[in-house]
Amino acid sequence: MPQTLAQKLVARAAGRATVTPGEIVICRVDLAMFHDSSGPRRLKPMLERLGAKLWDPARIVLVTDHYVTGEDAESRAIVGLAREWAKAQNIRNFHDGVGICHIVLAENGYLRPGMFAVGADSHSPTGGAFGVYMFGIGATEMLGVVVTGEIWLRVPETMLIEWDGRFGDAVCAKDVMLYLCGRFGLDGGGYQAVEYAGSAVAALPMQERMTLANMTAELGGQTGLVAPDAVTRAYLAEAGVRESEIEITPWQTDAGAPLAAHHVFDATALAPQVAAPHSPANALPVGEFGDVAIDVAYVGACTGAKLEDLRMAARVLKGRHVARGVTLMVAPASRKDEAVARREGLLATLEDAGARLLPNACGLCAGYGERFAPEAKVISTTARNFRGRMGAASTEVFLASPYTVAASALIGRIADPRAVLQ
Amino acid sequence: MSARAWVFGDDVDTDAIAPGAWMKFDIDRLSRHCLEALDPGFAGGVRPGDILVAGRNFGCGSSREQAAQALKRLGLAAVVARSFAGLFYRNAINLGLPALECAQAGRIPAGAEIEVDLEAAAVHIAGAESLRCAPIPPFLLELLRAGGLLNQLEQRLAAARERKPA
């Protein structure tokens, strides 16, 4: 019986040959990830109440990224608790203040095709870029996982989204996801598996595929998958994963597998997208925005400040300076990506253009620490522009790709990066 | 359970339910800001047993379970929505907050006296109609009856210890 990639991943975790969409199964978890906000501060008291031990500390990854900038006593206490807990529980896979959890997981080679993983963060579908069934859960459900090693799942349907052809210059994964949010809405994914395929997706580097998988959260999917290939293999080898641990062939959707929906789009026709306040679903081609002045341009977050994203922003800003009155902030998604960006001269380009560099953390995207000013008009590479998330209720946040954010910073208004790069 | 309906629209996100600026504080403090951007009178006006009614995709966005926990802390007995974001739905059940999917939730007027029957998967509007809801699967009803996942795990671990004395 032909199966989708999602079905194959769930079947393996459930110890079954095949599974049928809609049935409830119990899955063994290969990897559980949580951060300072969703992890120890909530898990510790519950574990103590249960008097329970962790099922397998080697399968747990803890990353501090939400409160690491420690702007006040409460934030510092949350991070301090995470550090103490990691030590007490002997968590070896502890990454402290070196980047955003989803990026840290990938660059350290934790994710390998065929795995079944959960993360206590809504952008956990990012792992799906590696052919991993990964999704976000809350802290109490994470408690269940770290005590039992298991989780229930309704076997998902698969929504297959193909992009044929090639994306145009200055069009990237962020544009794809904003377009899809606009087209299908914030519940378009129906909490099912979304698989991205087609020649344009196959041509994307891993970090761009991670952006597709990541923003499946905004599209309302449970996970966002890209079937592994030679690009996946090369990235993982670079991340230190042994060749024998990388399986490609078993983790593909079979021809004739059951699909809930199948959409084919022409990549060459996609224009840069901008989502107006206060929803990613308010996406329109950049050309449809008239004269919109901006105060702040923000390049940050797991979805918008990886090395590939920094390259895009730097390409637009090279040898130029942001418009007078515009504040440009850049928060590289991980220390590793920041180091490479420095070697490549990208950071110098960005700083020469007027960028203020921020720590490798969730930063303003989470809205847990520093926030944008009331009334500010912001264009941002982040994932969500819900009212009040990153600032006051009167703060207006537009979402766009690193190309478009950089071009807008340069001009001082929402701008088409293709015009700037000509 | 019979109580007043607090009615909200589509795509109510977790940033509205559990605002980020208050996430570093405990649930008592956080819950006082629950949904304040959409209805400043909500957190202060909810009476224990009241029911939140919403449109499509309630609870979209973050995995923060404080969204469900804040609603519970304010005393809401259930959330009835046209549909839920999957992550919020799992969090609500795991925290013992009943979440009922009702295609006709839009027929419930703000402030209406309503009654929710989880076992029968129905919402009764006082002096008016009854609305059918999607049934909650038996294993999730059991989880709700246990009061959520923490309680259920506690009961299971205690039962296992009794079977196998140290």
Side-chain angles (χ1 to χ4, degrees), chain A residues 246-271:
Chain A
I246 310 171
E247 284 187 318
I248 304 293
T249 329
W251 309 115
Q252 310 288 326
T253 287
D254 296 328
L259 299 174
H262 184 186
H263 302 278
V264 182
F265 296 104
D266 177 9
T268 55
L270 184 69

Side-chain angles (χ1 to χ4, degrees), chain B:
Chain B
M1 32 184 144
S2 169
R4 269 185 317 169
W6 292 81
V7 177
F8 292 87
D10 293 339
D11 291 328
V12 173
D13 61 80
T14 49
D15 287 285
I17 307 168
W22 305 98
M23 278 287 288
K24 60 185 174 229
F25 299 111
D26 65 20
I27 198 65
D28 288 341
R29 188 149 173 205
L30 172 62
S31 63
R32 289 203 290 274
H33 301 277
C34 181
L35 289 167
E36 67 184 356
L38 299 178
D39 181 352
F42 175 75
V46 169
R47 287 189 307 233
D50 282 356
I51 289 162
L52 192 149
V53 176
R56 279 168 58 158
N57 204 27
F58 183 80
C60 63
S62 165
S63 68
R64 62 187 79 162
E65 66 180 8
Q66 286 94 327
Q69 196 183 12
L71 296 172
K72 204 173 170 201
R73 180 70 189 81
L74 292 176
L76 289 153
V79 182
V80 176
R82 255 184 81 187
S83 64
F84 290 92
L87 226 171
F88 176 87
Y89 183 84
R90 291 184 77 119
N91 282 342
I93 307 281
N94 283 325
L95 288 163
L97 175 70
L100 211 51
E101 196 175 294
C102 177
Q104 296 173 298
R107 300 172 72 95
I108 304 170
E113 199 71 26
I114 64 171
E115 198 180 320
V116 166
D117 186 337
L118 296 179
E119 316 277 332
V123 175
H124 308 293
I125 309 174
E129 61 195 326
S130 288
L131 309 175
R132 251 210 302 247
C133 306
I136 299 175
F139 79 104
L140 292 183
L141 270 179
E142 198 184 307
L143 191 48
L144 282 173
R145 276 192 223 105
L149 185 58
L150 178 57
N151 288 349
Q152 192 181 62
L153 281 170
E154 193 167 39
Q155 290 157 16
R156 285 184 181 172
L157 289 175
R161 281 185 196 116
E162 247 168 59
R163 279 199 303 278
K164 200 169 53 177

Side-chain angles (χ1 to χ4, degrees), chain A residues 71 364 366-374 388-393 395, chain B residues 19-22:
Chain A
E71 284 141 22
L364 283 94
Y368 286 7
E370 184 184 354
R371 297 162 67 78
F372 293 124
R389 174 179 170 89
M390 298 170 73
T395 308
Chain B
W22 305 98

Side-chain angles (χ1 to χ4, degrees), chain A residues 174-413:
Chain A
K174 172 53 64 67
D175 298 305
V176 170
M177 294 314 296
L178 292 176
Y179 171 81
L180 293 175
C181 287
R183 169 78 191 266
F184 297 112
L186 297 184
D187 58 356
Y191 204 51
Q192 305 300 312
V194 180
E195 183 177 343
Y196 305 93
S199 55
V201 171
L204 292 176
M206 279 317 296
Q207 288 196 333
E208 279 281 89
R209 298 180 185 186
M210 286 164 68
T211 301
L212 298 179
N214 174 290
M215 280 197 59
T216 306
E218 280 60 51
L219 190 58
Q222 185 180 45
T223 192
L225 299 167
V226 179
D229 60 9
V231 176
T232 322
R233 184 187 293 281
Y235 178 101
L236 291 175
E238 179 87 5
V241 179
R242 279 197 303 272
E243 185 66 22
S244 60
E245 289 182 82
I246 310 171
E247 284 187 318
I248 304 293
T249 329
W251 309 115
Q252 310 288 326
T253 287
D254 296 328
L259 299 174
H262 184 186
H263 302 278
V264 182
F265 296 104
D266 177 9
T268 55
L270 184 69
Q273 304 284 308
V274 176
H278 296 280
S279 168
N282 292 341
L284 289 170
V286 62
E288 303 207 5
F289 288 80
D291 189 26
V292 181
I294 55 131
D295 308 306
V296 181
Y298 184 68
V299 176
C302 49
T303 192
K306 303 178 286 304
L307 178 61
E308 294 290 348
D309 302 304
L310 301 176
R311 284 176 177 152
M312 295 178 202
R315 195 181 140 210
V316 172
L317 291 167
K318 192 164 180 60
R320 295 159 155 152
H321 198 277
V322 301
R324 184 189 281 275
V326 171
T327 303
L328 171 63
M329 294 189 261
V330 178
S334 78
R335 183 182 287 178
K336 211 172 255 183
D337 277 359
E338 180 172 323
V340 180
R342 194 173 290 285
R343 278 205 299 278
E344 291 185 3
L346 308 175
L347 291 190
T349 296
L350 295 169
E351 285 182 309
D352 289 348
R356 170 157 76 97
L357 272 190
L358 299 178
N360 311 126
C362 300
L364 283 94
C365 179
Y368 286 7
E370 184 184 354
R371 297 162 67 78
F372 293 124
E375 314 284 338
K377 272 204 165 58
V378 181
I379 188 159
S380 169
T381 65
T382 55
R384 292 182 186 138
N385 56 348
F386 297 139
R387 187 188 292 278
R389 174 179 170 89
M390 298 170 73
S394 61
T395 308
E396 296 203 347
V397 180
F398 296 79
L399 304 178
S401 76
Y403 285 122
T404 305
V405 168
S408 304
L410 199 61
I411 309 293
R413 357 203 121 245

